[in-house]
């Protein structure tokens, strides 16, 4: 097994930790129940995806520790969003997610056959976050979370 893919898998994993820290902190920023729900959905997706990566990581001898630097990166991203109105924060989030989608796509393109579906699922995962942010930035929130909800093993209840 390629050490490169093992390293890539660790990058994916740390990316989920960045996202967890980001979305956890973002829950503090919004009082609107629908906005908080959408942030909670993004947090749930990051958490579930992180857990889903662990079996393959251990199979490949990768380190599953959560790096402080990854959490700090997520908190730094969150700090850049603090105080911004929802649509502006979603525009900023969308722009920040584009390099992740590109990186995850490159990883999936080079993934060993045994792990190709896992790697492709990461592209779908990141694309779902990108789609939510794009829709919300454009003021089209009606179905912005559908791609995220479809991926959740443990979906969250929508606000009443």
């Amino acid at each position: 097994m390629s050490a490169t893919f093992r390293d890539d898998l660790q990058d994916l994993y740390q990316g989920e930790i960045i996202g967890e820290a980001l979305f956890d902190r973002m829950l503090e920023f919004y009082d609107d129940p629908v906005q908080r729900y959408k942030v909670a959905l993004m947090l749930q997706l990051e958490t579930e995806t992180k857990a889903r990566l662990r079996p393959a990581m251990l199979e490949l001898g990768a380190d599953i520790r959560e790096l402080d630097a990854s959490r700090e990166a997520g908190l730094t991203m969150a700090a850049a969003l603090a105080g911004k109105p929802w649509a502006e924060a979603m525009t900023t989030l969308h722009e920040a997610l584009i390099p992740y989608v590109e990186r995850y796509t490159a990883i999936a393109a080079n993934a060993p056959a045994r792990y190709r579906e896992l790697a492709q699922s990461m592209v779908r995962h990141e694309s779902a976050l990108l789609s939510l942010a794009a829709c919300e930035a454009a003021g089209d929130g009606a179905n912005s979370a559908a791609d995220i909800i479809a991926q959740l093993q443990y979906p969250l209840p929508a606000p009443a």
Side-chain angles (χ1 to χ4, degrees):
M1 183 54 52
S2 165
T4 300
F5 183 71
R6 184 186 64 231
D7 294 345
D8 288 343
L9 199 54
Q10 285 184 268
D11 286 349
L12 295 172
Y13 185 73
Q14 294 303 321
E16 299 314 291
I17 294 162
I18 291 168
E20 270 188 325
L22 166 64
F23 299 130
D24 180 68
R25 181 58 52 89
M26 282 180 68
L27 286 170
E28 300 173 11
F29 300 166
Y30 303 102
D31 294 325
D32 179 272
V34 173
Q35 292 170 347
R36 287 180 55 84
Y37 169 68
K38 290 177 181 181
V39 173
L41 287 172
M42 292 186 282
L43 174 60
Q44 184 72 3
L45 182 64
E46 299 294 86
T47 300
E48 288 188 22
T49 303
K50 182 179 73 173
R52 192 167 46 82
L53 290 172
R54 285 185 181 141
M57 292 178 68
L58 289 175
E59 204 172 88
L60 295 172
D63 187 352
I64 63 169
R65 288 179 294 161
E66 298 184 8
L67 300 179
D68 291 340
S70 297
R71 289 234 174 257
E72 287 301 318
L75 294 174
T76 298
M77 290 175 75
L81 300 176
K84 289 186 177 187
W86 178 254
E88 185 179 342
M90 292 298 106
T91 297
T92 302
L93 179 62
H94 180 267
E95 292 167 3
L97 288 167
I98 291 170
Y100 285 91
V101 172
E102 291 170 351
R103 170 87 170 111
Y104 290 15
T105 300
I107 290 171
N110 294 307
R114 175 178 168 91
Y115 299 103
R116 193 160 295 131
E117 175 51 35
L118 177 63
Q120 289 172 343
S121 76
M122 294 303 295
V123 176
R124 290 189 299 274
H125 156 95
E126 210 66 17
S127 295
L129 295 170
L130 186 70
S131 176
L132 181 143
C135 289
E136 292 292 325
D140 181 18
N143 294 306
S144 63
D147 290 343
I148 290 176
I149 293 168
Q151 293 182 47
L152 294 177
Q153 180 72 34
Y154 302 101
L156 304 176

